[in-house]
Every structure is written in structure tokens, then in C-alpha cells.
């Protein structure tokens, strides 16, 4: 039985070719996530591409874990990513944080700084979903009260999951 070639969904003319590449994963909502060594299908006719992502839920857990370990205050994009990772709407998040929904919008759009106490609380909410070994409460005391630049997150697919690159 021969396998049918995968045709492009955009132009319906090109046969998709799969290569292994690094992909800047802006689809995560974060500007700094690089998926290293992932399979990407590209159409040679129109240039359309598809990134093949195994175990997406685990990928998002790895990203969230990396974000909560950041040593500086969270950015608006990181707050939004973690809120969505928790599965909360802006109104849900506002209720959990004890603030007005407009405050959540201001945090996520960086019109208002995300305070240290709120930052620590959000990290704990995310860490609570992970195993305790993955996040020490001592890390909360080391978070600087300044927002630093985003850390480059390079994540590689492995046979049984995703792994943060050791260089970070």
C-alpha cells in the first residue's frame, strides 16, 4: 500500500516537503519561544508551512514552567500566557486575583505594572498545577522588582516529551 503525498492546503498544487528546523513559536503568544529541531512541512509552490507539534499540552506545561522560573517580574505577554495556560478568561483571572477585569487588561497590555505580590501569586497558581519538585517556594523571594527582558526559551521535542535546552 503506497502512502499518498501530503498536498498543500493553501494552493492545493504543491506536495508538502518535511524538514527539521528551528521555529520561532510566536503562536504561543510569547515572542521568545524557539522550538528547536521540530518537523516543518513546507509547500515548494506557495511557501505555506505547517509546524508538526507532538504532545502540545506537555509543550505548554514546559513553557509555563520556564516562565514561572524567570528571575524578573513577568511581562504582560507572560501574564496573558499563564492566565490562558490556567484556562481562565480575563474575568475569571480577575476574580482569582481580587481585581477588576480592566486591571487584568491593563497588566496584559502593559498599561499598568504587574506588581510583585500579584506576580508571586500567579506563579504559585501555575506551580500548583505542577509537581512540587518543579517549583521551590524559595524562588519567590528571588524575583527582582524590575521587569527584565524576556529570556530566550529554546525547547526541543524528545521521544517522550519536550525538554528545555540546557543553554538557558
Amino acid at each position: 500500500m503506497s502512502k499518498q503525498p501530503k498536498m498543500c492546503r493553501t494552493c492545493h498544487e504543491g506536495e508538502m516537503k518535511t524538514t527539521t528546523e528551528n521555529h520561532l513559536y510566536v503562536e504561543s503568544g510569547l515572542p521568545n519561544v524557539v522550538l528547536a529541531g521540530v518537523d516543518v512541512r513546507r509547500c515548494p509552490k506557495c511557501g505555506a508551512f505547517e509546524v508538526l507539534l507532538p504532545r502540545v499540552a506537555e509543550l505548554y506545561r514546559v513553557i509555563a514552567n520556564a516562565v514561572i522560573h524567570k528571575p524578573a517580574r513577568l511581562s504582560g505577554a507572560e501574564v496573558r500566557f499563564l492566565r490562558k495556560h490556567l484556562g481562565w478568561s480575563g474575568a475569571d483571572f480577575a476574580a482569582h486575583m481580587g481585581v477588576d477585569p480592566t486591571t487584568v487588561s491593563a497588566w496584559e497590555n502593559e498599561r499598568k505594572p504587574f506588581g510583585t505580590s500579584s506576580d508571586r501569586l500567579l506563579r504559585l497558581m501555575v506551580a500548583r498545577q505542577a509537581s512540587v519538585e518543579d517549583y521551590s517556594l524559595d524562588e519567590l523571594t528571588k524575583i527582582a522588582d524590575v521587569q527584565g527582558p524576556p529570556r530566550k526559551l529554546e525547547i526541543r521535542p524528545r521521544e517522550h516529551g519536550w525538554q528545555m535546552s540546557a543553554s538557558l
Side-chain angles (χ1 to χ4, degrees):
M1 180 160 65
S2 71
K3 189 175 180 182
Q4 290 284 349
K6 174 83 171 152
M7 298 306 289
C8 178
R9 289 189 232 181
T10 303
C11 71
H12 305 286
E13 295 179 23
E15 183 180 327
M16 302 294 273
K17 304 291 181 198
T18 302
T19 59
T20 300
E21 305 176 14
N22 292 347
H23 174 68
L24 180 60
Y25 190 48
V26 295
E27 298 89 346
S28 69
L30 298 172
N32 56 319
V33 177
V34 175
L35 302 180
V38 293
D39 287 339
V40 178
R41 288 187 190 136
R42 292 192 180 276
C43 175
K45 296 265 188 195
C46 72
F49 68 94
E50 303 171 346
V51 181
L52 307 178
L53 298 177
R55 300 171 303 279
V56 174
E58 181 184 353
L59 169 60
Y60 276 76
R61 278 192 300 277
V62 169
I63 296 170
N65 192 46
V67 170
I68 67 171
H69 283 82
K70 175 184 171 180
R73 266 196 356 240
L74 298 171
S75 70
E78 291 165 332
V79 171
R80 181 181 302 109
F81 174 84
L82 293 175
R83 172 182 61 78
K84 289 180 175 182
H85 176 70
L86 290 168
W88 292 337
S89 68
D92 293 337
F93 184 49
H96 282 89
M97 297 296 286
V99 299
D100 190 82
T102 59
T103 301
V104 171
S105 176
W107 286 337
E108 292 181 356
N109 293 296
E110 299 194 356
R111 292 187 312 270
K112 183 176 182 181
F114 193 56
T116 305
S117 296
S118 298
D119 184 302
R120 290 176 178 181
L121 179 57
L122 177 55
R123 290 175 198 239
L124 279 172
M125 291 174 183
V126 173
R128 185 172 174 259
Q129 288 190 331
S131 62
V132 176
E133 313 77 73
D134 290 345
Y135 194 81
S136 165
L137 295 180
D138 292 338
E139 289 194 48
L140 294 175
T141 63
K142 299 174 189 170
I143 299 167
D145 194 24
V146 296
Q147 184 174 326
R151 290 171 54 192
K152 178 182 176 189
L153 305 178
E154 185 175 289
I155 303 164
R156 296 183 179 279
R158 296 290 183 228
E159 185 176 339
H160 298 291
W162 291 89
Q163 181 180 30
M164 182 66 62
S165 292
S167 63
L168 301 181

